[in-house]
Amino acid sequence: MLRFEVLGPLRVLRAGAELDLGFPQARALLGLLLLRPGRPVGMSGIIDVLWPGPPPACAPNAVRRHVGALRRLLEPGLPPRAPGRRLLGRTGGYLLEAAADEVDVLRFRALTRRGLRAAATARPEQAVRHFTGALRLWRGPVAGGLPGPVRAHPRFAAVDREVVRTAQMAADAALLCGRADQVLPILRRASAMDPSAEPLAARLVLALAACGLQAEALAAYEAVRAGLAARLGVAPGAELAAAHARVLRQQVRPARRRVPAAPAEPVRPFVRPDQLPPGLPVFTGRETELAELDALTEEASTRAVLISGPAGIGKTTLAVHWAHRAADRFPDGRLHLELGGSAARRAALDPAEALRRLLAALGVPARTMPTGVPALAARYLEVLSDRRALVLLDDAACASRLRPLLPAAPGCLTLITSRSPLLPRTRPPATLRPTDPRPHPALLRTDPRPRSPHPPTADVRRLSRDLRPTTGTRPLPLPLPLDPPATANARPPAPLPRNPPSTADTRPLPLDPPTTDVRPLPLDLPTVAEARALLARRIGAARVAAEPAAVEEIIQRCGRLPLALALVAARAVSRREFPLGALAADLADPVLEAEPFRRVR
């Protein structure tokens, strides 16, 4: 039996163990179907929720892939392409089949209906019991942990309004029968989630006064009044003003039991997000880097680790794999944010928007978020101050955009991936072999433009074979962007310094605040043995052992770049009757040398 929870952080539990729901869009799809279990949702409605902006042309296919992944998750052992009995396809859409006791939102609605029937038949005490039973299932913002733009969709906002209406009905019934003390904690939580909701604030003021907390009731009214004046420039409405007048005139019926004053600190929802992408099942190698990550993160002063390297070298794969392995060390949440620093057709994520998304994942309502990067960063630090959380910031662009996103909380760790090291090199510079008459122009380049995101070309692969560092056995981490052909008026490249530094600069990344210590982890190309193991995990050890010469040529042609090897392995898996020797010969095609992955894709 499964248990689905959507009235708060989105979770699915089997035998008490929480399941990994995968990518954010798969989580959003499941959350959408859980809002109305047993009722189909059309494909257009799903796409509208999963892609708040203009959807891509492949959106329907992406939805089908997410449906297949969720089916296998909810029903392990389900045969391929089998519909199962949980996630069913309907004409133009999908629905989720679940029993009434398996989904918290169904139990919530059933108890709310009982409370309505009791209130309609003049049984306020029973109505309070049913309403409070329903509201105990509410654990925070509906479908918490989903991206902010998805959570803002009207379908999710409608369920938030259901919860608020139930809280208001519970307060009305409790005030009628003198049981305000039973609903006061719920009203405090609901008002903290939406401070600008005047009907809810009016009932909170009355409930506080009924429990003997008249000073706190007047303070609650004043806080709402000041907030409305600051944000909208308006005075409180008639309902809230009437509640305030009743408190001043002491016309509120007292509750049967008085309660102590509210705690000094405001009630704050505690959301434990788990946004890590799924780990790669065929991950292999990188034992040295994983051990180095373990060693760096065990240092008490480490607050962040920067994994840097060229495109396709496996930065994100390594970070996600280690994050899943160390997830138990961060029980208060694991966040993931794509910064888009190397995106070709869109700008990198703005720090303010990044902070808003992180705060939304941590359960902070959008209405209560401040404006401006400094205020958002302060709120982000406040929320994480008493947590042990892991934050994965993928594809960072520059240090200035990272400063507000690095919490200095002692229990938190931030993993950063970037194509640019964003700090001085931490390894000695490579020196050329004595047989090389002069340095290649690529090594003399001083242009600060970022490295090319394309896989290595034939010239770069040939250069990586000719130039070897004298400090180790691995080749120089390439690709490097090659200079354009020299012209008659071009200036000669500046010579290399005569006495290069003999030791590496191991200072941490100089980011503000000064207490934030960012440790660098430059990522190199895998060794030949690791590249061979990568191919074996993806296409099978027997197939690799049968054609060792072809495997070596494939590794050489791909420059040991993990992304290139993965693409070649995908083609080999799709054509199992295709010999690896023929694939290696295909990679040596002159056309492919000019555009390496055009035919592989």
Side-chain angles (χ1 to χ4, degrees), residues 372-410:
V373 173
L376 287 167
R379 184 66 184 279
Y380 179 52
L381 178 59
E382 177 191 358
V383 174
L384 289 178
S385 60
D386 56 351
R387 296 196 184 206
R388 288 186 296 160
L390 173 67
V391 183
L392 174 55
L393 302 177
D394 200 6
D395 196 13
C398 60
S400 61
R401 291 177 176 266
L402 279 176
R403 291 189 186 101
L405 310 181
L406 299 181

Side-chain angles (χ1 to χ4, degrees), residues 405-439:
L405 310 181
L406 299 181
C412 297
L413 175 71
T414 304
L415 277 182
I416 310 163
T417 69
S418 176
R419 295 185 183 181
S420 172
L422 304 179
L423 75 171
R425 291 182 63 87
T426 58
R427 295 186 180 182
T431 56
L432 302 180
R433 297 183 304 184
T435 55
D436 295 322
R438 55 171 305 191

Side-chain angles (χ1 to χ4, degrees), residues 222-235:
E222 181 60 26
V224 177
R225 185 203 64 77
L228 291 173
R231 288 192 299 270
L232 305 175
V234 298

Side-chain angles (χ1 to χ4, degrees), residues 43-416:
M43 180 64 78
S44 60
I46 294 174
I47 293 175
D48 185 44
V49 172
L50 267 58
W51 285 273
C58 63
N61 291 333
V63 171
R64 296 184 189 99
R65 287 196 299 271
H66 293 318
V67 168
L70 289 173
R71 281 174 174 165
R72 292 188 295 272
L73 176 70
L74 301 179
E75 300 180 70
L78 190 68
R81 302 185 181 277
R85 63 181 186 87
R86 285 288 187 181
L87 222 168
L88 306 177
R90 291 294 181 263
T91 304
Y94 297 94
L95 65 85
L96 180 73
E97 283 288 357
D101 57 345
E102 289 181 320
V103 186
D104 59 354
V105 71
L106 293 181
R107 300 198 302 274
F108 173 87
R109 287 168 178 157
L111 289 169
T112 300
R113 287 193 294 269
R114 294 178 190 175
L116 283 170
R117 287 195 293 268
T121 54
R123 295 177 292 160
E125 292 189 359
Q126 294 186 18
V128 171
R129 187 164 59 253
H130 292 312
F131 286 140
T132 54
L135 290 167
R136 288 192 192 100
L137 300 172
W138 175 53
R139 299 168 291 110
V142 174
L146 296 183
V150 174
R151 273 270 307 119
H153 194 275
R155 290 178 183 262
F156 293 99
V159 183
D160 280 326
R161 289 194 296 271
E162 283 186 50
V163 175
V164 171
R165 283 197 301 269
T166 302
Q168 293 174 5
M169 292 186 293
D172 291 339
L175 290 168
L176 185 62
C177 65
R179 300 284 186 181
D181 57 294
Q182 296 183 7
V183 300
L184 183 57
I186 295 172
L187 290 175
R188 280 174 168 160
R189 282 182 57 209
S191 296
M193 299 294 296
D194 188 2
S196 61
E198 291 189 58
L200 195 61
R203 287 160 176 82
L204 174 62
V205 169
L206 293 174
L208 287 168
C211 294
L213 305 173
Q214 185 166 358
E216 188 176 345
L218 296 175
Y221 167 81
E222 181 60 26
V224 177
R225 185 203 64 77
L228 291 173
R231 288 192 299 270
L232 305 175
V234 298
E239 187 175 9
L240 182 56
H244 181 239
R246 288 180 60 187
V247 173
L248 292 175
R249 296 168 185 166
Q250 297 186 356
Q251 296 176 343
V252 182
R253 178 181 177 178
R256 299 180 185 180
R257 187 175 69 88
R258 298 298 179 94
V259 298
E265 296 184 359
V267 178
R268 187 177 66 194
F270 195 90
V271 177
R272 293 179 174 84
D274 191 359
Q275 298 180 325
L276 290 179
L280 188 65
V282 293
F283 183 89
T284 185
R286 298 296 189 189
E287 297 300 332
T288 302
E289 288 80 2
L290 290 171
E292 193 170 349
L293 268 173
D294 290 334
L296 287 173
T297 55
E298 285 174 0
E299 298 179 13
S301 60
T302 301
R303 298 289 180 266
V305 177
L306 173 67
I307 304 174
S308 61
I313 205 167
K315 303 180 294 294
T316 301
T317 303
L318 174 66
V320 171
H321 180 81
W322 184 88
H324 280 288
R325 198 172 74 166
D328 293 341
R329 294 169 48 186
F330 306 98
D332 297 332
R334 279 83 62 183
L335 296 96
H336 172 253
L337 188 62
E338 174 62 49
L339 299 179
S342 60
R345 298 185 179 180
R346 58 184 175 89
L349 191 64
D350 181 70
E353 177 60 23
L355 287 166
R356 281 191 288 267
R357 294 187 187 182
L358 291 170
L359 288 171
L362 291 167
V364 179
R367 299 181 184 89
T368 65
M369 293 183 192
T371 57
V373 173
L376 287 167
R379 184 66 184 279
Y380 179 52
L381 178 59
E382 177 191 358
V383 174
L384 289 178
S385 60
D386 56 351
R387 296 196 184 206
R388 288 186 296 160
L390 173 67
V391 183
L392 174 55
L393 302 177
D394 200 6
D395 196 13
C398 60
S400 61
R401 291 177 176 266
L402 279 176
R403 291 189 186 101
L405 310 181
L406 299 181
C412 297
L413 175 71
T414 304
L415 277 182
I416 310 163

Side-chain angles (χ1 to χ4, degrees), residues 286 309-315 419 453-455 525-526 560-565:
R286 298 296 189 189
I313 205 167
K315 303 180 294 294
R419 295 185 183 181
H454 300 292
L525 290 169
R560 303 204 312 275
L561 198 66
L563 176 60
L565 294 169

